[in-house]
């Protein structure tokens, strides 16, 4: 008989990373189960093209019984916890909800793994936002955390509780400290997608200005499609560990604007308006990572450069907007 195919459970499968990870695992012959919340509208557009290949099951990080049920029913070999209240700006307005999902949700899921099947390999989506007001540049696995948003604080909790379960219960639990990663599937509320979509709309005459917050914020931006491979590689290691995943390059929001508008032969300065409504109460100044440990231990390196990423996003948004009907008026 042939070997049984591995099964993976992805929480947050309807998000950017979940959809790319599902594709990667399906390519590797996995059975993929995706956990989705029961809500009045289920947003599955990112995985619509995988509908025949992926099984979507109800479950919620706020409800531990639902997590135990999903694990018992589907018996995954690997669990990737990508679900979270993941938008930094929202976390200031909904700090308690952010803590319930992004922090305590991790404990509920790890505890469900411990109870149902401690041999499950677990991946935790940690974040460069944990570094926040960074103590050193670039940031590595050993850089102290100083989060600057309720989201960052919640991610620090999720990171340490994952280490705690690994050390206390010998779980194969790893964390990927991922720096910003973008794609044409990024949500429209995130600044990169806001820029690519805004530039596309302006080039097609559907808008005339784009309102942004801090143009001087600097980030280490990579392509989500590259980063999900690092997640998978972590769960193939004999011993679990934590890894920074990044490009090691830093770029400002202003540079992103220059490239995005430049792709469409527009001058960004003619269209971008700085709006204080988009400034954060506390800003992260400079995030740039060092992923040499991932290169050494996982054999992982990013494949997609910054300009290539910006152009991919702009081109996708032009195609998206050209395919949609123009607003009336």
């Amino acid at each position: 008989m042939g070997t049984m195919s591995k099964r993976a459970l992805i929480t947050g499968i309807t998000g950017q990373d979940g959809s790319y990870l599902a594709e990667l695992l399906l390519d590797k012959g996995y059975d993929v189960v995706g956990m989705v919340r029961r809500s009045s509208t289920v947003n599955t557009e990112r995985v619509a093209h995988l509908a025949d290949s992926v099984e979507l099951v109800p479950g919620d990080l706020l409800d531990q019984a639902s997590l135990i049920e999903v694990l018992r029913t589907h018996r995954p070999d690997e669990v990737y916890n990508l679900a979270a209240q993941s938008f930094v700006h929202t976390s200031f307005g909904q700090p308690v909800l952010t803590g319930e999902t992004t922090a305590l949700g991790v404990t509920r899921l790890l505890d469900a793994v411990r109870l149902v099947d401690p041999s499950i390999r677990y991946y935790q989506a940690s974040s460069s936002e944990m570094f926040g007001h960074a103590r050193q540049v670039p940031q590595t696995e050993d850089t102290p955390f100083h989060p600057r948003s309720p989201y960052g604080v919640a991610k620090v909790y999720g990171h340490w509780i994952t280490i705690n379960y690994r050390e206390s219960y010998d779980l194969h639990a790893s964390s990927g400290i991922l720096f910003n990663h973008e794609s044409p599937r990024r949500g429209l509320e995130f600044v990169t997608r806001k820029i690519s979509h805004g530039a596309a709309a302006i080039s097609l005459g559907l808008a005339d200005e784009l309102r942004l917050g801090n143009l001087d914020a600097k980030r280490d931006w990579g392509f989500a499609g590259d980063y999900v491979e690092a997640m998978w590689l972590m769960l193939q290691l004999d011993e679990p560990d934590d890894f920074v995943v990044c490009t090691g390059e830093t770029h400002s929001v202003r540079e992103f604007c220059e490239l995005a508008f430049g792709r469409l032969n527009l001058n960004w300065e003619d269209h971008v308006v700085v709006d204080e409504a988009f400034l954060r109460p506390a800003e992260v100044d400079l995030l740039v990572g060092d992923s040499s440990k991932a290169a050494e231990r996982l054999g992982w390196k990013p494949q997609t450069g910054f300009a290539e990423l910006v152009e991919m996003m702009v081109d996708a948004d032009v195609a998206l907007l050209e395919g949609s009907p123009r607003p009336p008026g």
Side-chain angles (χ1 to χ4, degrees):
M1 274 182 67
T3 52
M4 296 278 288
S5 58
K6 272 192 188 169
R7 177 169 295 171
L9 171 71
I10 303 173
T11 74
I13 194 167
T14 60
Q16 166 185 260
D17 294 11
S19 67
Y20 282 110
L21 179 62
E23 288 171 355
L24 178 87
L25 296 176
L26 288 169
D27 280 348
K28 293 184 182 296
Y30 279 68
D31 290 334
V32 177
V33 177
M35 195 177 87
V36 290
R37 278 180 306 172
R38 288 247 186 257
S39 63
S40 50
T41 57
V42 179
N43 174 10
T44 53
E45 63 191 51
R46 291 189 186 92
V47 285
H49 64 295
L50 305 175
D52 298 335
S53 336
V54 166
E55 186 176 0
L56 297 181
V57 300
D60 197 314
L61 290 179
L62 301 183
D63 182 354
Q64 187 164 8
S66 74
L67 304 179
I68 291 170
E69 182 63 28
V70 168
L71 293 179
R72 274 191 188 147
T73 304
H74 299 280
R75 294 285 168 174
D77 302 286
E78 298 173 357
V79 169
Y80 295 86
N81 184 33
L82 310 185
Q85 191 302 99
S86 66
F87 189 44
V88 174
H89 196 81
T90 299
S91 77
F92 286 100
Q94 298 187 313
V96 175
L97 175 68
T98 300
E100 284 287 356
T101 54
T102 307
L104 291 175
V106 183
T107 312
R108 295 187 190 99
L109 187 52
L110 282 165
D111 216 42
V113 166
R114 179 182 71 84
L115 290 165
V116 174
D117 179 4
S119 74
I120 290 171
R121 295 189 172 200
Y122 176 93
Y123 172 82
Q124 171 60 17
S126 288
S127 166
S128 59
E129 290 287 330
M130 301 187 306
F131 297 122
H133 186 65
R135 310 288 180 84
Q136 58 193 62
V137 178
Q139 292 95 47
T140 71
E141 293 80 8
D142 300 319
T143 301
F145 300 138
H146 184 157
R148 296 269 281 172
S149 65
Y151 170 77
V153 173
K155 280 292 185 187
V156 171
Y157 177 101
H159 184 77
W160 281 114
I161 201 71
T162 300
I163 291 171
N164 187 254
Y165 270 69
R166 176 166 82 214
E167 294 177 351
S168 303
Y169 304 112
D170 204 28
L171 294 187
H172 193 297
S174 295
S175 285
I177 305 173
L178 269 57
F179 279 67
N180 294 58
H181 45 289
E182 318 299 315
S183 75
R185 300 179 194 174
R186 195 55 147 148
L188 284 164
E189 68 272 27
F190 291 87
V191 69
T192 50
R193 181 73 196 289
K194 201 171 155 181
I195 295 167
S196 64
H197 191 269
I202 289 165
S203 78
L204 295 169
L206 301 172
D208 50 5
E209 67 170 29
L210 173 63
R211 304 184 84 82
L212 298 174
N214 181 9
L215 300 181
D216 297 313
K218 290 192 168 71
R219 296 287 185 277
D220 181 327
W221 274 305
F223 172 48
D226 293 343
Y227 285 31
V228 296
E229 191 195 2
M231 302 176 181
W232 175 77
L233 287 166
M234 285 175 219
L235 297 203
Q236 313 318 307
L237 290 174
D238 291 337
E239 295 296 325
D241 206 345
D242 307 317
F243 293 91
V244 163
V245 177
C246 62
T247 69
E249 284 181 20
T250 185
H251 298 278
S252 65
V253 173
R254 186 178 278 103
E255 283 177 79
F256 200 105
C257 287
E258 277 172 23
L259 282 173
F261 281 85
R263 176 71 169 173
L264 302 169
N265 299 314
L266 296 169
N267 179 4
W268 71 275
E269 289 171 293
D270 297 340
H271 303 283
V272 172
V273 179
V274 174
D275 184 338
E276 301 211 329
F278 297 114
L279 298 177
R280 296 177 184 173
E283 180 57 90
V284 170
D285 315 306
L286 172 61
L287 288 178
V288 56
D290 173 355
S291 60
S292 44
K293 180 177 170 183
E296 193 182 316
R297 295 271 317 282
L298 302 173
W300 181 87
K301 282 197 168 66
Q303 305 298 317
T304 311
F306 181 66
E308 191 185 341
L309 172 67
V310 177
E311 291 175 1
M312 174 202 310
M313 291 178 67
V314 170
D315 293 353
D317 275 326
V318 169
L320 177 74
L321 289 169
E322 281 179 335
S324 66
R326 291 181 174 251

